[in-house]
Structure formats: structure tokens, C-alpha cells
Amino acid sequence: MDPAKPSLDLLRALSDERVLRALMREPRLTRAELAAVAGLSKPTAGESVRRLVAAGLVADTGARTAGGRGRGRVGSYYALAGDVGLALAVSIAPGGIVAECVNAHGAVVSRAERAITRPARPAQAAAALHAAASQAVAAAAPKIPRTPEAPEVPEAPEVPKSPVVPAAPAAPAGAADRSGGPVGLAVVSAADPVDRASGRMVHLPDSPFLLGDLDPAGVLAPLVAGPVTVDNDVNWAARAERAAAADGGVALDDFAYVYLGEGLGCAVVSDGEVRRGHSGLAGEIAHLLTVGPGGRAASLIEVFGDLGLRQPGATAIDPARLLSAVTEAPATREVVARAVAGAIAAIVALADPAQIVLGGPWGRHPVVANAVTAAVSDLPRPVPVRPACLTTEPSLTGARATALARLQSAIVARAHPTPPP
């Protein structure tokens, strides 16, 4: 029996996705260039462009290649339509709230920041979150960067294998130059435990940042047309670290990302996926039992209180004071390293990671990283330890990458929407 052939609708959907993905990578392309980049015949690429223009996802930029007088046919440049939408990436952290609007090409078209006090109160954090997101969305709307002009180059004559697809009519003046659009979705990185079912930030004992609960999805709902995804900042940092390793040709599919900053956290990545746990609270390592000063058993967060390394009147660790202490006092450095190694021993026993990645403002510091590496080497089950590669806004980087991927997938899905049952 001959294998079933794909339907015409499926073939069209695949062709349209290739064209859209090509225009997400490049600001504008002619139909001939799209055919080459997408691996399609010129007639197939032309038909796809016609469908996507009709669907409002692709637009004629109005720019043309040089043609005529023996130099080939004039070619039209096409780009993603200006109103295909934006994604919002947000970071909620002790250092403040950052909101960015990202377009389908991956460019950050606007950014807004708001400071918050520490520890933060839910009402204050919600107001700052709404203000930052509103500013980013408002700033993105009037930004209308023009489609860059391509050099006037001749386009090779086409020999169509099917009836020639007529060029789409030029868009109204300025229509093809818009890069802004409605915010279709949002991805939020939160520096606190996040309930998996509701997306709410929840307060746990000794959480150093937010005193109370916060509902980021509810705050952002008036600004976002589609879904709002919220996850813990350490999970986003781990995803960003994995992506950075992949960009360097390294498969990082089984590791634990241990965050050491004002707060303590861990993301367990197994088979390439962050394991969030039943309620989303996996990786909250602050209360793991470990070895404290004098060799007594203590929770990990308690060790820093015993050493006087917390911020005054708070459970948050003071990174500057800690780094000064571990640099100047070998005994303190040994206690900190042994305490962190004890937490890592528990992580290894339960999750069996291939390596430990140390992130956070003091976790990736060479003095701390070297001391922890030495302490872990003495464990019954030693595991490689290294500092994180990404050091600039790793959590926001992870959230932004996911926001972009979901925005692009949403645009592709709009080309061939699934009919209702």
C-alpha cells in the first residue's frame, strides 16, 4: 500500500510557515529570495506570499529591486505586516521591575523600569508592575522604524512552472513600516516562589523579597490580549543557560542551576526540561538541612543568619558583606562553602544532575565558586561544578527568549487557524 500523501492544506501550511519563519529572520525579502531561503519553488513561494498578504500577516513594503532594460523583472520586497503583534517580557526582582516589548524579529522595541523597596509589599509591587508594563507598551506603539532600504539589485528572470502570481498591491503609505502592534502575550520572571496552577507569587517563610501574594497575570491582563505565563526567576535563568550552551554547541540537558544571591534557589533541569514540581515550588532550597557553623545541622538560610550575613531587619542575604567576609576570612569561606555543598549533596541525591551551575551575584564569584567546587569534590557523590556563563539579566533573558518563541508560533498559527469543533 502506498503511504498516505499529505493533504494540500498541510502542504500550504508548511510552505506558509517556512515563508513566515524566513521573514522573522530577515527584515524583508523578495519572492525569489524567499523561495531560496525557505527551500521552495518560486511559484510555491509566490502563492504563499499571496495567501499571507491576504491574511494580513505579510505586507508589500513598497520597495522594489532594480529591473527593466534587460536587467530582469522588478521584484517587490515583502516583510511581516506591522501589526502582527508584540510580546511582553517582564522581570520582577529585588532590584526592580523591568518590562520589555519584543517584536517578531526578536528586537527589544521598548523597555521600562520601576524601582521597588525591599522587602516589597504586594500593593506596591503590583503598582510598579502595572506602571512599568504600561510604559513599555505605550512606548512600543509609536515606534515605527522604517524597513531598511536594500540596495537596488537586479532580480534574475523567473521562469514560472505555473501561472504567474501577480504582485500584491502596494500597502498604504506607512503601513508596511509599522513594527508595533497589540501585545499578544506576556512572559514573567518572578523572584519568588510561583504557584504552578494560578501563576501567583506566593510567600514562603524566610522569602527575602515579597511579603505576601501577588498575581502578575491579573495585573497585566488589561495590557495583554493573550496568555500571561509566570515562573520563578531561577527557572528562567536555567533555561537561558541551557540555550547559551546550545548556541555554543554543548548539550546541557541534565543539570541543576543553584542561585546564590539575596535569596537562595535552584532549578532542576532533567532531559532538557525544568522540573517545576506538583505545585511549582520545586527547587526552594532555603530550608534544606545542611552543615552550619560548628558542624551543627542547620537549614541553608539559617547559616547566613548565624554568620551575620543577612541584611539588617530582613532574611535577605547581603551579597556585598558575604563576599567581603569569604574573601577576608578563610574560616567563614569554609563554612559557607560547606553549607552550600551540603545543599548540593541533597540535590545530587534526589535529581542526579550531570553538573551544578552556580548563578547569582555571589554564587558565580570566583572565590565562592572555587571554594564550593572544592567542598563538593569531597562529597560521597561528587559532581562537576562551574559558574554560570550568562551574567547579565539571565532570568529576563530566559523569559524574553520564551516570549519571542511563543509570539512567533502564534503568528504562524494565525496563518491557518484550527477550525472550531
Side-chain angles (χ1 to χ4, degrees):
M1 177 181 291
D2 293 335
K5 295 182 178 180
S7 68
L8 182 58
D9 287 343
L10 176 59
L11 292 175
R12 286 173 175 170
L14 292 174
S15 298
D16 292 353
E17 178 171 0
R18 288 189 179 188
V19 168
L20 286 170
R21 298 285 183 185
L23 289 174
M24 290 169 185
R25 295 189 296 269
E26 300 292 339
R28 65 180 191 176
L29 294 167
T30 65
R31 282 178 290 168
E33 290 170 341
L34 280 166
V37 172
L40 303 171
S41 70
K42 291 180 181 178
T44 298
E47 284 290 336
S48 181
V49 168
R50 180 189 61 77
R51 288 192 297 271
L52 295 171
V53 168
L57 299 176
V58 169
D60 186 333
T61 66
R64 301 289 184 265
T65 63
R69 297 183 182 179
R71 292 187 294 175
R73 289 171 48 191
V74 174
S76 300
Y77 282 100
Y78 293 90
L80 292 178
D83 57 358
V84 292
L86 301 169
L88 186 66
V90 178
S91 170
I92 305 173
I97 292 175
V98 179
E100 296 180 343
C101 281
V102 184
N103 67 17
H105 298 290
V108 176
V109 298
S110 66
R111 178 180 169 113
E113 301 181 21
R114 286 291 188 278
I116 49 179
T117 60
R118 290 177 283 177
R121 308 288 175 175
Q124 179 216 16
L129 171 60
H130 188 272
S134 297
Q135 181 181 345
V137 171
K143 280 194 174 181
I144 308 175
R146 295 188 176 277
T147 303
E149 292 297 327
E152 296 291 316
V153 294
E155 184 179 13
E158 295 186 20
V159 181
K161 299 178 182 178
S162 62
V164 177
V165 178
D177 292 335
R178 296 191 304 269
S179 70
V183 176
L185 58 93
V187 176
V188 180
S189 166
D192 244 7
V194 174
D195 180 75
R196 184 171 185 173
S198 67
R200 297 181 67 95
M201 298 169 63
V202 297
H203 181 73
L204 295 179
D206 294 321
S207 293
F209 174 41
L210 183 68
L211 296 181
D213 294 351
L214 177 65
D215 181 12
V219 174
L220 296 177
L223 304 172
V224 181
V228 178
T229 301
V230 188
D231 199 2
N232 178 263
D233 60 340
V234 185
N235 289 345
W236 290 119
R239 293 183 181 101
E241 187 73 15
R242 181 173 181 267
D247 290 342
V250 177
L252 193 60
D253 291 336
D254 294 275
F255 69 101
Y257 188 105
V258 177
Y259 179 88
L260 304 174
E262 292 188 19
L264 304 167
C266 175
V268 175
V269 179
S270 178
D271 297 328
E273 297 290 337
V274 173
R275 303 304 177 185
R276 300 181 65 189
H278 170 69
S279 59
L281 304 183
E284 297 298 330
I285 61 173
H287 295 98
L288 280 179
L289 287 180
T290 186
V291 182
R296 70 176 182 85
S299 68
L300 182 58
I301 189 62
E302 185 182 358
V303 171
F304 301 95
D306 292 342
L307 294 174
L309 300 177
R310 289 181 174 181
Q311 297 178 15
T315 60
I317 297 168
D318 188 330
R321 187 186 305 173
L322 184 145
L323 287 174
S324 176
V326 298
T327 301
E328 299 172 3
T332 300
R333 180 168 64 246
E334 181 180 351
V335 172
V336 169
R338 188 170 52 186
V340 174
I344 289 175
I347 295 168
V348 171
L350 289 174
D352 189 28
Q355 63 177 273
I356 300 293
V357 175
L358 297 178
W362 60 271
R364 60 176 179 262
H365 191 280
V367 171
V368 174
N370 291 337
V372 171
T373 299
V376 170
S377 67
D378 292 333
L379 295 176
R381 292 176 58 184
V383 63
V385 178
R386 68 164 177 85
C389 295
L390 287 179
T391 59
T392 303
E393 297 183 328
S395 299
L396 182 57
T397 299
R400 186 193 304 122
T402 296
L404 172 61
R406 292 184 178 180
L407 172 63
Q408 292 176 337
S409 295
I411 293 171
V412 170
R414 283 167 55 190
H416 294 269
T418 302

